Amino acid sequence: MKLTGDKLSIPNIFSYLRIILIPFIIYFLTIRTVEYLLYALLIFMFASFTDFIDGWLARKLKQESEFGKFIDPIADKFLVISSLIAIIVIDPNFEILDSWMIVIIVGRDILITVMRWLAIKKGRSLHTSRFGKFKTAFQMLSIVIIIMIYMSKRSGFFDTHESLPYWIMLTVTLMTALSGVRYLVTNWQLFFPEKKEIEDQEAE
């Protein structure tokens, strides 16, 4: 199976847009004023919204493709992971040891990307679930909430306990790990040669 499809279709352009917006989100997060945190929040919310738009457009315009199915989750991963890393780096309440959360989140996404590549190579489809989509939506919502907490603290409008972003990140990490385990359980066959591949190797 090849990554067929129009690389510049409208749905795929929305996926590219999510990646393009990442540097702006990170830049505004690092400034940490209420105004720039608001910019980061609005851009991130728009980028997250494109995740739902590109899938809807692909179905509406009948432009679903293997390439689109590949680039869409990749764009999601870049957007979410970059934002989570930025939050851990700029938040003084996170310590270097808390980077284990990012290791798990990044490791899970690398694993899924490898599995998706193996599925394409074998001419098969990666078995997904609604839980995976729910995980992505929860990650995005958590980032929105954390940015709003920062804004609230900076403006003095409402104060929360300084550990709240940590517990939100911990929940995101655990849910992400659980999602990775579910993918392994339903797609473990991808890591082993199929019967035809074994027969071809024996014939050689």
Side-chain angles (χ1 to χ4, degrees), residues 84-141:
L84 291 175
I85 291 176
I87 287 171
I88 284 185
V89 170
I90 67 175
D91 191 327
N93 296 308
F94 281 100
E95 300 179 359
I96 188 64
L97 294 177
D98 295 324
S99 297
W100 67 269
M101 300 183 191
I102 293 300
V103 171
I104 289 179
I105 293 172
V106 172
R108 179 267 183 196
D109 286 342
I110 291 176
L111 173 65
I112 302 305
T113 300
V114 170
M115 292 171 69
R116 183 169 280 109
W117 175 79
L118 287 173
I120 292 172
K121 185 179 179 181
K122 293 174 180 288
R124 297 166 56 183
S125 296
L126 186 68
H127 296 296
T128 59
S129 67
R130 292 184 178 180
F131 185 78
K133 280 291 184 182
F134 176 77
K135 180 272 305 178
T136 300
F138 183 80
Q139 288 178 329
M140 291 177 174
L141 178 60

Side-chain angles (χ1 to χ4, degrees), residues 166-203:
Y166 174 88
W167 291 109
I168 294 175
M169 282 285 295
L170 181 61
T171 304
V172 168
T173 302
L174 295 177
M175 183 171 290
T176 301
L178 179 59
S179 172
V181 171
R182 284 178 61 90
Y183 268 94
L184 275 175
V185 170
T186 56
N187 295 278
W188 61 270
Q189 301 94 335
L190 292 174
F191 293 99
F192 299 94
E194 295 180 348
K195 183 178 180 180
K196 184 177 183 303
E197 293 176 349
I198 296 175
E199 291 175 350
D200 291 341
Q201 290 174 2
E202 291 177 347

Side-chain angles (χ1 to χ4, degrees), residues 41 44-45 48-49 51-52 79-80 83-84 87 133-149 168-169 172 175:
L41 176 64
F44 181 83
M45 290 176 67
S48 300
F49 183 65
D51 180 34
F52 300 96
L79 175 65
V80 170
S83 300
L84 291 175
I87 287 171
K133 280 291 184 182
F134 176 77
K135 180 272 305 178
T136 300
F138 183 80
Q139 288 178 329
M140 291 177 174
L141 178 60
S142 297
I143 292 171
V144 168
I145 292 174
I146 290 175
I147 296 175
M148 291 178 69
I149 289 173
I168 294 175
M169 282 285 295
V172 168
M175 183 171 290

Side-chain angles (χ1 to χ4, degrees), residues 30-76:
T30 58
I31 297 180
R32 294 184 62 77
T33 63
V34 175
E35 180 182 5
Y36 282 93
L37 286 171
L38 177 59
Y39 293 157
L41 176 64
L42 293 177
I43 295 175
F44 181 83
M45 290 176 67
F46 173 75
S48 300
F49 183 65
T50 64
D51 180 34
F52 300 96
I53 288 294
D54 58 9
W56 180 81
L57 283 175
R59 292 186 296 271
K60 189 74 173 178
L61 301 176
K62 297 181 179 180
Q63 294 182 340
E64 294 177 286
S65 66
E66 292 303 320
F67 179 79
K69 293 177 182 178
F70 182 79
I71 192 63
D72 176 38
I74 291 295
D76 293 342

